[in-house]
Amino acid sequence: MGGVVISGTGVFTPPNAVSNEQLVESYNAYAENWNADNAEAIASGDAVEKQPSSVPFIEKASGIKSRYMMEGKGAIDVSRMHPNLSEEAPENPVDTPAQVKMAFAAAEKALKEAKLKGEEIDMVIISASVWERFLPSMACELQSMIGAKGFAFDMGMACSSATFGISTACDALQSGMANKALVVTAEYLTPVMDYEDRDSHFIFGDCAVAIVLERETETKSETAFRINDRKLFTEYSPNIQVTFGTRNLLVPEDISDPKYRFKQNGRVVFRELLPKVIDLVNGYLEKNERTVEDYKRFWLHQANINMNIFATKKLLGKEPSQDEAPIILDEYANTAGAGCLIAFDKYKSDFKTGDLGLICSFGASYSIGCFEVERL
Ligand SMILES: CC(C)(COP(=O)(O)OP(=O)(O)OC[C@H]1O[C@@H](n2cnc3c(N)ncnc32)[C@H](O)[C@@H]1OP(=O)(O)O)[C@@H](O)C(=O)NCCC(=O)NCCS
């Protein structure tokens, strides 16, 4: 049957770039107003004064300098502090969601690179962290939009949504269930952020990345990468949460309570997750009789620059260059499942036949997904 290849990738970047400066300015104005409104409670010890956010802190602690948003005004509007509906969002919620439009835009680019038409695809997955709509299935709508045959479904695994989605598609191709698969990680995350929370108001951006997979023997792509091997891992952790869900329909007065939005114990995540990532990659290398020197590049999850530097330093024994472990989170912020594949899309064109690289996602739940890819 031959191996499975990634024959095309495509990124949809939302139209609104929002800088740290813009976010910090609105947060600080909001905090000042809040402190003035709650001066008595603060004085009596019933409330804690909000401290200002800072651009240097965000850049140093995370490496994030900006992010793209589907709607860029609401979160920096001091009277709102939350994104508005994007222009792409339908008036009638059953009409095509913005998240599907993001997926479609990324899919068109990936199909073009793979030299395929939508009708040649017979498996479509949207794999993402959060959902604009539960039913009808967003992947089925995307399948219909591109004219794909076969079957489609939605799935999710937080920051490993893309790698777990790709792995699911590989299994379907290898078993003969499908011939050509499209996996799209469309991350529309800015609605789940709490822009009144200094610890996390800078973390996420929106973005979609699409991947076309097919058999090596059938591809027409001139830029294909074979997936040589893969490894997935999960271990339950509640340290990264978005708890919004059907519960909010049962307790509707809770619906806009920020406690259901993104929350994390960032330090604990840092401490607990990284050793697991390093163990998994080292185990992978041992099993495949590889060393880190065999790899031209590591396309890592993009949540925090210090995490990426820490992981690659442990693995490579030195601080990585942009060439060895590219960073895109400075421009895109944390895009959950999409991050490592956005890095792959943007930093793969210089690979020559036989060059090897490692794609590795890690994050919420906890989840880790690791693939070795080889340029055909
Ligand atoms: C979230 C993260 C960037 C925070 O960085 P950190 O160095 O751990 O920062 P801390 O939360 O410990 O805060 C350090 C100090 O800065 C302060 N601080 C927090 N947010 C701030 C802000 N926006 N501006 C200024 N200061 C801030 C804190 O109050 C704290 O002050 P204190 O020491 O007086 O208590 C970092 O922990 C992280 O990214 N971890 C990985 C998480 C991850 O990958 N998650 C995956 C999500 S999918």
Side-chain angles (χ1 to χ4, degrees), residues 53-54 57 61 159 198-199 240 264 266-267 270 303-304 307 334:
S53 184
S54 101
F57 169 85
C159 302
R198 182 179 78 138
D199 289 352
I240 304 170
Q264 72 167 348
R267 282 271 158 124
F270 210 114
N304 177 296
M307 273 179 112
N334 184 343

Side-chain angles (χ1 to χ4, degrees), residues 24 27-28 51-58 60-64 129 158-159 197-204 239-240 262-271 273 301-308 334-337 362-364 366:
V24 166
Y27 177 87
N28 287 350
Q51 300 301 312
S53 184
S54 101
V55 172
F57 169 85
I58 295 170
K60 189 162 177 286
S62 72
I64 295 168
S129 305
C159 302
D197 175 27
R198 182 179 78 138
D199 289 352
S200 66
H201 72 122
F202 54 89
I203 287 188
F204 284 130
N239 282 315
I240 304 170
F262 172 80
K263 296 274 169 279
Q264 72 167 348
N265 295 320
R267 282 271 158 124
V268 180
V269 173
F270 210 114
R271 208 173 48 238
L273 186 56
H301 179 51
Q302 304 277 323
N304 177 296
I305 196 169
N306 300 316
M307 273 179 112
N308 287 26
N334 184 343
T335 49
F362 44 88
Y366 296 130

Side-chain angles (χ1 to χ4, degrees), residues 132-283:
E132 192 174 331
R133 181 183 79 198
F134 295 113
L135 301 172
S137 153
M138 301 220 273
C140 289
E141 188 165 8
L142 178 63
Q143 174 193 20
S144 148
M145 285 166 78
I146 65 168
K149 309 278 187 300
F151 60 98
F153 57 93
D154 299 326
M155 63 170 275
M157 183 27 88
C159 302
S160 292
S161 288
T163 52
F164 277 52
I166 292 169
S167 184
T168 304
C170 277
D171 289 339
L173 292 174
Q174 281 170 339
S175 73
M177 279 279 287
N179 290 314
K180 296 192 192 298
L182 171 71
V183 178
V184 192
T185 295
E187 296 286 28
Y188 187 7
L189 296 154
T190 48
V192 300
M193 291 290 298
D194 178 2
Y195 292 92
E196 297 177 12
D197 175 27
R198 182 179 78 138
D199 289 352
S200 66
H201 72 122
F202 54 89
I203 287 188
F204 284 130
D206 302 321
C207 193
V209 63
I211 312 293
V212 174
L213 296 136
E214 54 187 320
R215 297 193 189 97
E216 181 178 347
T217 47
E218 294 169 12
T219 186
K220 291 176 284 186
S221 169
E222 283 155 23
T223 58
F225 282 75
R226 187 193 310 113
I227 297 175
N228 283 341
D229 201 5
R230 51 199 154 106
K231 191 156 178 60
L232 307 181
F233 172 85
T234 56
E235 186 179 289
Y236 178 68
S237 161
N239 282 315
I240 304 170
Q241 305 178 348
V242 178
T243 51
F244 184 85
T246 52
R247 183 191 191 283
N248 299 100
L249 298 173
L250 303 173
V251 193
E253 56 276 21
D254 271 9
I255 211 149
S256 59
D257 189 324
K259 77 174 178 230
Y260 295 106
R261 298 192 199 145
F262 172 80
K263 296 274 169 279
Q264 72 167 348
N265 295 320
R267 282 271 158 124
V268 180
V269 173
F270 210 114
R271 208 173 48 238
E272 289 185 351
L273 186 56
L274 279 176
K276 297 182 203 302
V277 173
I278 289 151
D279 280 357
L280 182 127
V281 174
N282 279 332

Side-chain angles (χ1 to χ4, degrees), residues 14-34:
N16 307 294
V18 175
S19 68
N20 288 344
E21 285 77 4
Q22 288 173 290
L23 272 186
V24 166
E25 191 185 328
S26 55
Y27 177 87
N28 287 350
Y30 151 80
E32 215 173 280
N33 292 345
W34 191 93

Side-chain angles (χ1 to χ4, degrees), residues 113-133:
E113 191 183 343
K115 299 188 183 196
L116 289 176
K117 296 202 173 67
E119 68 221 37
E120 293 174 88
I121 298 291
D122 61 357
M123 177 185 195
V124 176
I125 300 176
I126 295 186
S127 187
S129 305
V130 294
W131 299 97
E132 192 174 331
R133 181 183 79 198

